[in-house]
Amino acid sequence: ENPSLEVECRTVGLILTLLSHWKETISSLRPQLLAGIESGFLSGDIIHATYSLGQLFAMDAIIGTPLDEMERFMLSRYSQVRNLGQSTLINWCQPPIQCLLNLRNQSTSWDDVVTLTGEAMNEQEYMRSAEDGRNSTFLMIALHHKAYLACLFGQFNLAESLYRKMKPMAQVMKLS
């Protein structure tokens, strides 16, 4: 492990979360996130690498990065996390990756595009496991990605109901 890389990874995450998005254009943050991902994996700080990976997914979706590029990149990094055998990090990665696969229509039909079941995860198993483990963070990650898809595909009533489910969890976690 390289301590300077670990500090770099955490610093990048902190700066991007608290400062950079307020003063820089969103597309200019991409190289910083890529640096955070790489330094995190190289230093062994996969928690912060995974955080930067999730931020990159959201940013790439906003700036219009082609879905096939996003898919290749996310799946390669997801493979790294899976190879490390970190179940917690795998759980963090599954909803955004399945969301991306749903956007590319690789793992689902258009009829159930907001269902996070396919190549990367099984929504029912994921939700059951998160509820059994009382892990509101995982529940919120999945519900957020379902709501994101619902908004994109005009299912606004579903999105609203999903955000209503998240609100008590966010209050408990002091996020709202």
Side-chain angles (χ1 to χ4, degrees):
E1 291 185 16
N2 183 336
S4 64
L5 285 173
E6 187 173 340
V7 170
E8 177 185 333
C9 176
R10 290 177 183 205
T11 303
V12 165
L14 185 62
I15 289 171
L16 287 171
T17 302
L18 299 176
L19 301 172
S20 296
H21 67 281
W22 293 109
K23 57 182 249 156
E24 297 181 39
T25 63
I26 198 165
S27 58
S28 71
L29 301 177
R30 193 171 200 284
Q32 296 173 49
L33 283 169
L34 289 169
I37 293 165
E38 293 307 316
S39 62
F41 277 116
L42 290 173
S43 71
D45 188 349
I46 43 185
I47 290 173
H48 283 86
T50 305
Y51 170 77
S52 291
L53 186 61
Q55 293 295 91
L56 183 68
F57 167 77
M59 193 176 305
D60 276 351
I62 291 168
I63 64 173
T65 300
L67 292 175
D68 59 334
E69 283 180 38
M70 289 175 64
E71 179 182 2
R72 272 193 308 278
F73 184 80
M74 293 291 285
L75 289 176
S76 71
R77 294 307 187 248
Y78 180 59
S79 292
Q80 281 183 293
V81 172
R82 239 188 344 219
N83 289 340
L84 294 169
Q86 298 284 332
S87 62
T88 300
L89 298 178
I90 291 168
N91 286 336
W92 281 355
C93 291
Q94 285 175 330
I97 289 174
Q98 189 59 54
C99 178
L100 175 60
L101 293 171
N102 285 11
L103 287 172
R104 292 208 10 99
N105 200 22
Q106 299 292 310
S107 300
T108 187
S109 71
W110 289 115
D111 294 335
D112 57 357
V113 72
V114 299
T115 302
L116 297 174
T117 296
E119 182 182 330
M121 69 180 278
N122 179 307
E123 179 182 318
Q124 286 182 332
E125 290 175 12
Y126 183 94
M127 299 299 255
R128 189 177 322 112
S129 175
E131 288 168 359
D132 290 349
R134 295 186 179 158
N135 194 322
S136 56
T137 302
F138 291 159
L139 287 171
M140 285 186 64
I141 290 169
L143 292 172
H144 166 75
H145 284 88
K146 285 178 66 68
Y148 175 73
L149 288 169
C151 286
L152 286 177
F153 291 96
Q155 298 180 23
F156 301 114
N157 290 336
L158 174 60
E160 180 183 11
S161 73
L162 292 167
Y163 281 119
R164 286 186 190 280
K165 282 184 184 178
M166 284 189 278
K167 188 171 183 173
M169 288 181 248
Q171 289 171 335
V172 168
M173 297 170 69
K174 297 186 182 351
L175 295 175
S176 65

